[in-house]
Amino acid sequence: MAEHFFINKVTCLCSFIGGSDCIKANAKSCGECIQAGPNCGWCKKTDFLQEGEPTSARCDDLAALKSKGCPEQDIENPRGSQRVLENREVTNRKIGAAEKLKPEAITQIQPQKLVLQLRVGEPQTFSLKFKRAEDYPIDLYYLMDLSYSMKDDLENVKSLGTALMHEMEKITSDFRIGFGSFVEKTVMPYISTTPAKLRNPCTGDQNCTSPFSYKNVLSLTSEGNKFNELVGKQHISGNLDSPEGGFDAIMQVAVCGDQIGWRNVTRLLVFSTDAGFHFAGDGKLGGIVLPNDGKCHLENNMYTMSHYYDYPSIAHLVQKLSENNIQTIFAVTEEFQAVYKELKNLIPKSAVGTLSSNSSNVIQLIIDAYNSLSSEVILENSKLPKGVTISYKSYCKNGVNDTQEDGRKCSNISIGDEVKFEINVTANECPKKGQNETIKIKPLGFTEEVEINLQFICECLCQGEGEPNSPACHDGNGTFECGACRCNEGRIGRLCECSTDEVNSEDMDAYCRRENSTEICSNNGECICGQCVCKKRENTNEVYSGKYCECDNFNCDRSNGLICGGNGICKCRVCECFPNFTGSACDCSLDTTPCMAANGQICNGRGTCECGTCNCTDPKFQGPTCETCQTCLGVCAEHKDCVQCRAFDKGEKKETCSQECMHFNMTRVESRDKLPQPGQPDPLSHCKEKDVDDCWFYFTYSVNSNGEATVHVVETPECPSGPDIIPIVAGVVAGIVLIGLALLLIWKLLMIIHDRREFAKFEKEKMNAKWDTGENPIYKSAVTTVVNPKYEGK
């Protein structure tokens, strides 16, 4: 019984604290309901609604629907799911291994393809694994500034091919290299357009090639000697202004994949210069106003539209480099380090290295930059559909975990290391047409990606089972689906029984008035199609119901500030109490446990238990269990005379003992140790009382559940013995003598101390005398001695 009560009470509580978002959605169909929130369900039970309740009342919190009597099998509550379509394991192989795999056969990210079914507000989470494969192919394109200031750098780059090939063999067995060069747009004021300067832009006897915007000298190749040969034939050119047109060249390298020869492998672009750069808007100086179109315009390996399109913007470059998975290494001189470091912060997966004045350190610069770029993985996703959000959590090396923006990346990853990401995808709304969407997630700078197909749960399964033009919807005026009617256009009402033209008819209003009442729907609702549709209150847990909206669940009697005292459910302004409770406010408990007295009797046998509280019928007794009596003797005092007369045949009731003291059973015991001790089931009192002879006697008094009293008494009282006179007198005399002697000794001691102090004082004064004790101070001699002051002793 107690368990049943607990479950009902919890269920009721849930209905009061949940469901507000679901009810506020005012859902007219199951599809609208499940889009209101992940905890919203739709009851498709046909007779679920009470009279006056709108169709939207079928949508509520799951626990609330159950508490309202909707069976679990009738609750529509579709959940999201996920399914992996392609899940190849990441590749494990080492450099120099016998097997040679094509780049497309190497897997660094897992899984590769999956389907997520998303319900609004319910996130779907999956794990993504990334592992840097050993011996992964690399394509490197060297893009060099060939303005005149780079003349000495070109000499060192001419032997770059074979030297770089040799170094990269330590990292990968599949390496390809290419070369391109750039100068500037071929219009004023970037270059001189005089015929002589177009032939040779350099001064003096310097032999320079004609200026150009960008030239693809060598597409990606695995032949290092060919790189040396073709680069060795290159000549320096020149221009007028300091910034160069490198952005035009970077754009063409990124978008002209077929001409450059990019493979789906690690793509590195080394950008080498000793100057700054032009960007979008600078083309106006040369009369160029058309923005860069981000398309390939290479003819015979030359960029032909530099005079037609403006320089690309930084954002445009970022987009194209990311789309084509190109990682950029800026090899620039010390003078322009600050500029290109700021540019690096804007371009993901890029690095900056300091180029020596003659590019002699370019190989080490490339190796260091590659190691820096490849040691960090950063995830990015394609554009998300409207209403879809994504979040990341990273599980990197050495137990380093991060969330939010830092959850997209892991650093300090070595070759062969494996890291994981937890990706959370949530739909906050359904697409208008409910169509599927596809998003992609990939590590920046890598061609591999995860393809995610998003399928949105916007309708319930029961909607597909609906019956169009159903007889249940007033002769086919609606579709019967999910336990309710979805009315055809122009029809309204719970069963689509009215047309929109009949809504305001006075004849219809008559059906919404109670007998002998002028109020329509008790002023708690609207009359629609001759039926009351009860209005909703601001507190969604408070509901009007009934044919005329005359009922509600919040105007019942209260106790302790709670409707129905928290011990019942308010139905149509009347409390339906839980088991063990009664009363108009369910505030009367039928549990008698609080009324149980210490002797096991309800209200100590002196009252009645009403609503869990004792009502004492004997006016002398009070307290929660009628056990307190302010004017009554205690148990021991009350029974001591009867115990004394029965056990020892003395006391005040000695003469009437047989008439007044036979209401208990008595047992004699030898000593106090033999008396009953606490712990027995019957209430027990231990007593110690004096008899008429001033002797102490001990007994216990107990009453069993049948009201029978039992007394155990110690058969021998403890009587006090008389005082011993001789020791007392001797002690008093001895005390007086000893006190006198002590006083004499103290007096003698004080006198000795006083005499010694006086003698010491006398001796001190004697020592302080200022005259010679051997001569009388008042004696004066009769002899006078005169000395001549002039006498010199001659």
Side-chain angles (χ1 to χ4, degrees):
M1 180 69 75
E3 183 180 359
H4 176 71
F5 161 71
F6 175 75
I7 292 172
N8 275 286
K9 195 160 187 175
V10 170
T11 304
C12 179
L13 181 61
C14 290
S15 69
F16 275 89
I17 64 175
S20 60
D21 291 337
C22 308
I23 295 174
K24 286 178 181 177
N26 201 25
K28 298 295 190 299
S29 66
C30 186
E32 292 180 16
C33 178
I34 63 173
Q35 293 180 47
N39 296 318
C40 297
W42 177 272
C43 183
K44 62 182 181 180
K45 184 181 178 185
T46 308
D47 57 351
F48 172 70
L49 296 179
Q50 301 179 39
E51 275 192 299
E53 281 193 291
T55 303
S56 59
R58 291 182 177 274
C59 182
D60 207 339
D61 183 85
L62 301 175
L65 289 176
K66 292 178 183 177
S67 69
K68 292 177 181 178
C70 186
E72 190 168 353
Q73 64 270 19
D74 285 335
I75 297 177
E76 282 288 319
N77 179 35
R79 310 312 302 177
S81 63
Q82 54 184 268
R83 179 165 46 95
V84 178
L85 301 181
E86 191 174 338
N87 193 31
R88 297 190 309 274
E89 291 289 336
V90 291
T91 303
N92 289 306
R93 70 174 192 145
K94 297 185 179 296
I95 189 169
E99 61 171 339
K100 288 291 183 181
L101 298 177
K102 293 182 179 180
E104 56 269 20
I106 300 174
T107 302
Q108 296 185 112
I109 193 168
Q110 180 187 2
Q112 294 79 40
K113 189 179 292 187
L114 67 159
V115 175
L116 298 182
Q117 288 192 315
L118 299 177
R119 176 175 168 179
V120 173
E122 181 187 22
Q124 289 296 318
T125 304
F126 67 94
S127 294
L128 184 148
K129 183 193 300 183
F130 178 84
K131 181 176 182 180
R132 275 191 63 192
E134 298 191 37
D135 197 19
Y136 194 72
I138 298 174
D139 284 354
L140 185 145
Y141 192 84
Y142 196 92
L143 183 59
M144 186 174 181
D145 177 7
L146 284 189
S147 58
Y148 189 76
S149 59
M150 294 287 285
K151 179 180 178 182
D152 54 346
D153 299 79
L154 180 61
E155 296 301 319
N156 284 313
V157 174
K158 286 179 180 179
S159 60
L160 177 66
T162 52
L164 187 57
M165 281 280 186
H166 178 71
E167 288 296 324
M168 294 301 285
E169 283 177 357
K170 301 175 183 178
I171 299 174
T172 177
S173 61
D174 189 356
F175 176 71
R176 299 200 312 169
I177 191 170
F179 184 82
S181 58
F182 66 91
V183 181
E184 187 55 276
K185 288 185 181 294
T186 54
V187 295
M188 283 289 288
Y190 310 112
I191 66 168
S192 175
T193 55
T194 60
K197 289 293 184 181
L198 286 175
R199 287 191 301 272
N200 183 3
C202 301
T203 57
D205 58 352
Q206 297 291 331
N207 185 23
C208 297
T209 188
S210 300
F212 57 91
S213 176
Y214 161 67
K215 176 169 40 177
N216 175 33
V217 177
L218 175 65
S219 298
L220 291 163
T221 178
S222 57
E223 300 176 19
N225 293 328
K226 189 174 181 181
F227 179 94
N228 292 348
E229 179 185 345
L230 287 176
V231 174
K233 296 177 182 179
Q234 301 303 304
H235 295 283
I236 293 296
S237 185
N239 62 312
L240 296 179
D241 61 341
S242 175
E244 314 295 359
F247 276 15
D248 272 342
I250 293 176
M251 178 61 77
Q252 294 303 301
V253 171
V255 299
C256 298
D258 293 337
Q259 290 89 331
I260 302 299
W262 291 118
R263 299 177 296 170
N264 286 332
V265 297
T266 298
R267 299 175 177 180
L268 300 178
L269 170 61
V270 180
F271 182 83
S272 175
T273 185
D274 64 348
F277 49 81
H278 284 296
F279 53 90
D282 289 354
K284 290 181 180 179
L285 293 171
I288 302 171
V289 295
L290 283 177
N292 195 287
D293 65 349
K295 295 180 180 178
C296 182
H297 297 287
L298 288 185
E299 292 182 12
N300 297 322
N301 288 321
M302 296 289 289
Y303 180 37
T304 59
M305 301 297 285
S306 67
H307 64 287
Y308 190 75
Y309 289 116
D310 192 6
Y311 302 99
S313 66
I314 295 174
H316 201 180
L317 275 184
V318 170
Q319 177 192 353
K320 293 301 179 181
L321 289 171
S322 177
E323 284 179 3
N324 294 280
N325 307 305
I326 296 173
Q327 303 177 62
T328 310
I329 301 171
F330 295 105
V332 296
T333 54
E334 182 72 33
E335 181 184 357
F336 289 94
Q337 280 287 302
V339 175
Y340 281 92
K341 282 183 177 178
E342 290 296 326
L343 182 61
K344 165 193 171 293
N345 294 332
L346 301 173
I347 301 179
K349 294 294 281 187
S350 62
V352 177
T354 303
L355 191 68
S356 62
S357 59
N358 59 2
S359 297
S360 58
N361 69 330
V362 68
I363 291 179
Q364 189 59 45
L365 184 153
I366 292 172
I367 298 296
D368 293 342
Y370 169 73
N371 288 332
S372 173
L373 288 173
S374 59
S375 67
E376 183 177 57
V377 57
I378 304 174
L379 296 184
E380 70 165 0
N381 51 268
S382 59
K383 185 178 179 181
L384 298 173
K386 183 181 178 183
V388 175
T389 58
I390 191 168
S391 62
Y392 298 83
K393 183 175 182 180
S394 59
Y395 297 89
C396 307
K397 288 176 62 178
N398 304 321
V400 177
N401 301 337
D402 266 313
T403 55
Q404 298 179 349
E405 280 305 306
D406 288 336
R408 291 174 174 264
K409 62 184 179 180
C410 282
S411 303
N412 301 320
I413 304 173
S414 304
I415 292 176
D417 285 344
E418 181 177 295
V419 294
K420 291 184 179 180
F421 296 88
E422 192 176 89
I423 301 173
N424 187 303
V425 182
T426 307
N428 299 309
E429 61 182 70
C430 272
K432 290 183 178 179
K433 297 182 180 179
Q435 71 273 18
N436 297 345
E437 299 280 357
T438 298
I439 61 173
K440 295 181 179 180
I441 299 175
K442 68 174 184 179
L444 278 173
F446 294 86
T447 57
E448 297 176 68
E449 61 187 13
V450 180
E451 182 179 310
I452 306 171
N453 182 252
L454 304 181
Q455 299 177 357
F456 300 91
I457 302 174
C458 301
E459 299 287 349
C460 300
L461 290 176
C462 61
Q463 289 183 251
E465 303 168 359
E467 181 185 356
N469 303 318
S470 171
C473 299
H474 199 266
D475 299 328
N477 286 316
T479 301
F480 188 77
E481 60 182 27
C482 301
C485 286
R486 181 185 287 186
C487 297
N488 296 336
E489 189 174 352
R491 304 295 296 186
I492 58 172
R494 186 187 290 183
L495 300 177
C496 311
E497 63 270 31
C498 291
S499 68
T500 52
D501 299 332
E502 301 171 339
V503 173
N504 296 321
S505 170
E506 292 185 8
D507 293 336
M508 292 292 181
D509 290 348
Y511 293 105
C512 297
R513 295 189 186 98
R514 299 177 69 180
E515 190 176 352
N516 299 326
S517 175
T518 59
E519 295 178 343
I520 296 176
C521 300
S522 306
N523 287 334
N524 294 324
E526 294 181 80
C527 184
I528 298 178
C529 198
Q531 289 186 341
C532 286
V533 176
C534 303
K535 65 183 179 183
K536 295 181 179 179
R537 289 177 59 85
E538 186 175 348
N539 182 350
T540 56
N541 294 315
E542 298 179 354
V543 178
Y544 289 110
S545 61
K547 182 178 180 180
Y548 303 104
C549 301
E550 73 279 11
C551 295
D552 61 60
N553 66 345
F554 54 87
N555 273 322
C556 290
D557 290 343
R558 295 174 180 258
S559 177
N560 294 326
L562 300 175
I563 295 175
C564 299
N567 301 317
I569 300 174
C570 182
K571 290 187 177 180
C572 202
R573 304 187 178 184
V574 177
C575 287
E576 288 188 5
C577 301
F578 296 141
N580 284 339
F581 288 94
T582 187
S584 63
C586 300
D587 53 350
C588 181
S589 174
L590 300 178
D591 185 11
T592 59
T593 303
C595 298
M596 197 67 67
N599 59 9
Q601 295 181 333
I602 292 177
C603 297
N604 197 27
R606 294 184 171 88
T608 58
C609 186
E610 298 176 3
C611 298
T613 304
C614 282
N615 183 14
C616 302
T617 54
D618 189 335
K620 293 191 299 181
F621 288 87
Q622 299 173 349
T625 55
C626 301
E627 292 181 282
T628 304
C629 180
Q630 302 293 342
T631 60
C632 300
L633 294 173
V635 172
C636 297
E638 182 181 355
H639 299 286
K640 77 168 188 174
D641 289 336
C642 284
V643 172
Q644 189 179 182
C645 77
R646 289 188 58 181
F648 308 112
D649 194 25
K650 57 184 177 181
E652 295 180 2
K653 293 186 179 182
K654 177 179 177 182
E655 302 300 330
T656 59
C657 192
S658 57
Q659 290 81 25
E660 298 182 24
C661 300
M662 304 306 293
H663 59 278
F664 57 83
N665 300 319
M666 190 180 71
T667 303
R668 288 182 172 84
V669 297
E670 296 178 359
S671 63
R672 292 169 59 184
D673 298 336
K674 301 294 180 67
L675 289 173
Q677 299 301 314
Q680 67 175 31
D682 300 328
L684 179 69
S685 297
H686 277 259
C687 301
K688 176 184 178 182
E689 298 291 339
K690 274 190 177 182
D691 62 11
V692 293
D693 299 324
D694 282 340
C695 295
W696 293 103
F697 65 97
Y698 299 87
F699 66 94
T700 62
Y701 184 88
S702 62
V703 181
N704 62 22
S705 57
N706 296 324
E708 297 175 352
T710 302
V711 172
H712 290 75
V713 60
V714 178
E715 59 186 7
T716 305
E718 291 183 1
C719 296
S721 56
D724 194 348
I725 302 301
I726 296 176
I728 293 174
V729 172
V732 171
V733 172
I736 293 173
V737 171
L738 291 174
I739 290 171
L741 290 174
L743 290 174
L744 288 172
L745 288 173
I746 292 170
W747 175 80
K748 183 64 177 176
L749 179 62
L750 291 174
M751 292 303 296
I752 292 172
I753 292 172
H754 181 266
D755 291 346
R756 287 184 177 179
R757 282 182 177 176
E758 290 295 322
F759 180 75
K761 184 178 180 181
F762 169 76
E763 288 292 326
K764 185 177 180 182
E765 291 177 351
K766 182 180 178 181
M767 293 296 293
N768 290 337
K770 294 184 179 180
W771 57 83
D772 188 358
T773 57
E775 183 178 345
N776 189 340
I778 62 174
Y779 170 75
K780 190 173 182 179
S781 174
V783 178
T784 301
T785 302
V786 180
V787 178
N788 186 356
K790 297 292 186 177
Y791 177 69
E792 297 179 355
K794 296 181 180 181

